[in-house]
């Protein structure tokens, strides 16, 4: 009997891996609701067979929070994201990129519900970890920089946001050939164009009219 129970647990955990992989594939394809369903199934299976503090449980919590945020249900994602952050900090430590990723997901959820100060604080902690863990121009920095830039832009820190997007663009060009992984680069370039115009407009209004030309 014990052997049968063990085999059932092992089988269910194997299914949870498959659901997680399918969920990630669906998410990458933009099929977020289908992705959420797979991640929720994986989470349920892991809840049934593992301690709540297990790293695999935190993985499923994190993916579910990310998917919920992407379909406009960030409020539901926040408690899941908070648990993922707590577990990953305990399991991996406060300097590990797995913990940093959980911070970024929770930060995005906070941003979506209007908690920009909390979002920026978490995203800055995430970036500090990644800057120390990865090489200076590592491609893994790009998504975190994009999130940070969007948060700064939303909070009105235009010049700071512009520098962040410019850094992301520079890292992208160092890591990818022309035409590869285009979407992040397009996001950077659109934001840079918008922010540059805002900065120029703001600087112009501060300087006021050119009196020499008027006279």
């Amino acid at each position: 009997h014990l052997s049968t129970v063990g085999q059932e647990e092992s089988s269910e955990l194997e299914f949870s891996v498959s659901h997680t992989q399918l969920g990630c594939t669906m998410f990458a394809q933009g099929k977020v609701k289908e992705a959420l369903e797979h991640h929720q199934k994986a989470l349920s299976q892991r809840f049934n067979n593992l301690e709540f503090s297990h790293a695999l449980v935190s993985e499923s919590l994190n993916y579910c929070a990310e998917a919920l945020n992407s379909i406009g249900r960030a409020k539901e994602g926040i408690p899941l994201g908070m648990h993922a952050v707590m577990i990953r900090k305990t399991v991996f430590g406060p300097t590990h990129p797995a913990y940093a990723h959980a911070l970024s997901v929770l930060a995005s959820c906070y941003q979506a519900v209007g908690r920009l100060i909390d979002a920026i604080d978490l995203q800055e902690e995430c970036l500090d970890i990644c800057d120390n863990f990865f090489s200076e121009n590592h491609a893994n920095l790009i998504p975190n920089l994009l999130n940070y830039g969007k948060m700064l832009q939303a909070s009105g820190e235009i010049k700071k946001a512009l520098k962040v997007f410019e850094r992301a663009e520079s890292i992208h060009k160092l890591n990818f050939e022309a035409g590869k992984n285009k979407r992040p680069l397009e996001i950077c370039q659109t934001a840079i164009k918008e922010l540059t115009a805002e900065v120029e407009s703001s600087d112009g209004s501060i300087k006021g009219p050119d009196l020499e030309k008027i006279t």
Side-chain angles (χ1 to χ4, degrees):
H1 175 70
L2 290 175
S3 176
T4 302
V5 171
Q7 288 174 356
E8 289 176 353
E9 289 177 352
S10 176
S11 177
E12 194 166 27
L13 286 174
E14 288 173 2
F15 279 127
S16 76
V17 174
S18 297
H19 280 302
T20 299
Q21 291 172 340
L22 282 168
C24 291
T25 300
M26 293 290 184
F27 191 88
Q29 294 174 349
K31 301 174 181 177
V32 183
K33 289 184 179 180
E34 292 91 335
L36 177 60
E37 289 175 4
H38 283 293
H39 288 311
Q40 287 174 328
K41 287 176 182 176
L43 179 59
S44 177
Q45 290 164 340
R46 288 170 173 176
F47 266 146
N48 290 338
N49 295 285
L50 300 169
E51 296 291 333
F52 181 73
S53 59
H54 197 283
L56 289 177
V57 173
S58 77
E59 178 184 63
S60 292
L61 286 166
N62 206 45
Y63 282 136
C64 285
E66 184 177 40
L68 285 166
N69 182 40
S70 295
I71 57 173
R73 293 165 59 186
K75 190 174 181 180
E76 295 172 59
I78 287 173
L80 303 184
M82 291 176 72
H83 284 305
V85 165
M86 177 185 68
I87 295 169
R88 288 190 166 191
K89 187 173 186 179
T90 301
V91 173
F92 297 106
T95 61
H96 196 280
Y99 170 60
H101 184 239
L103 288 172
S104 183
V105 170
L106 181 56
S108 294
C109 289
Y110 280 153
Q111 181 188 8
V113 298
R115 293 175 58 176
L116 268 175
I117 293 174
D118 292 327
I120 289 171
D121 285 346
L122 290 184
Q123 195 63 33
E124 286 177 344
E125 184 180 355
C126 166
L127 276 168
D128 284 343
I129 294 168
C130 291
D131 277 331
N132 288 320
F133 189 89
F134 297 110
S135 58
E136 183 178 0
N137 294 308
H138 198 285
N140 283 358
L141 295 170
I142 296 170
N144 293 317
L145 287 168
L146 294 184
N147 283 346
Y148 187 42
K150 291 172 185 176
M151 292 169 191
L152 292 172
Q153 186 174 11
S155 69
E157 296 189 57
I158 305 303
K159 291 184 179 180
K160 194 172 180 180
L162 177 57
K163 289 181 180 179
V164 170
F165 281 114
E166 286 174 341
R167 184 186 174 200
E169 180 188 38
S170 174
I171 293 173
H172 189 283
K173 288 179 177 179
L174 288 170
N175 283 276
F176 298 99
E177 296 177 3
K180 298 291 180 65
N181 194 27
K182 292 189 296 184
R183 183 58 183 155
L185 183 60
E186 290 169 353
I187 292 171
C188 286
Q189 292 173 337
T190 299
I192 289 169
K193 184 177 180 180
E194 292 174 356
L195 290 165
T196 299
E198 287 188 53
V199 168
E200 290 174 351
S201 174
S202 175
D203 288 346
S205 64
I206 292 171
K207 291 175 183 176
D210 189 330
L211 295 178
E212 290 184 5
K213 289 184 178 179
I214 293 175
T215 57

